[in-house]
Amino acid sequence: MHAGAQGVRIGSLTPLADLARHPVIRQTYKLLAEAARSVASPQIRNVATIAGNLCQEPRCWYYRNPDNTFDCLRKGGKTCDALFAENRFHSVFGGMCVSAAPCVNGCPIHNDIPAYMARLRAGELPDAVAILLRTNPLPR
């Protein structure tokens, strides 16, 4: 990675973690630094490169879910659950809810997973736990 008067040149083998920590990127290109900081797990960010990350199979767990549990658009299904469910929040730019998440109807004990996830994202752990305990079949 090289910062100069005309901007920044980022090599294809630059690890995402280095991009997220670079002082020029953090100061001048805040959205890029945030994008590099928020994708994948810390372990993957330390070794994943700009080019390598672009060439991977999708990380979407709906796509990778074994036994084809979700009728994923990339696997020939009719919808992309990542657009409608919790994966929409994996984007740096956020997402919007355009449909009920498939987990709403798929949960065998009918937990309100989207409400639970919303409380977790808001940092309201006691409220999130209360949502799960509403329909938890195990004794408290």
Side-chain angles (χ1 to χ4, degrees):
M1 190 168 6
H2 173 72
Q6 295 180 326
V8 165
R9 294 183 74 183
I10 303 169
S12 61
L13 297 179
T14 302
L16 295 172
D18 290 354
L19 188 63
R21 288 190 298 255
H22 196 279
V24 172
I25 300 296
R26 290 181 66 196
Q27 183 178 19
T28 310
Y29 305 99
K30 293 176 184 170
L31 187 58
L32 178 59
E34 178 62 22
R37 187 191 68 76
S38 63
V39 298
S41 67
Q43 294 87 354
I44 291 174
R45 282 193 303 269
N46 284 327
V47 294
T49 62
I50 298 294
N53 214 34
L54 295 175
C55 298
Q56 291 182 26
E57 281 285 316
R59 283 209 177 99
C60 175
W61 71 275
Y62 294 102
Y63 175 78
R64 291 191 172 276
N65 192 281
D67 302 322
N68 207 20
T69 305
F70 298 98
D71 193 20
C72 174
L73 184 64
R74 288 187 60 96
K75 293 187 281 186
K78 294 184 176 147
T79 61
C80 177
D81 292 320
L83 293 177
F84 306 118
E86 293 303 321
N87 265 18
R88 72 185 184 276
F89 295 106
H90 293 186
S91 168
V92 170
F93 301 107
M96 62 182 186
C97 185
V98 293
S99 161
C103 58
V104 172
N105 295 328
C107 181
I109 60 171
H110 307 291
N111 266 328
D112 189 356
I113 302 300
Y116 163 75
M117 295 299 292
R119 298 286 54 88
L120 280 181
R121 280 190 295 279
E124 300 168 0
L125 189 59
D127 292 340
V129 170
I131 290 169
L132 290 182
L133 292 177
R134 285 184 206 148
T135 57
N136 186 351
L138 301 174
R140 295 180 200 180

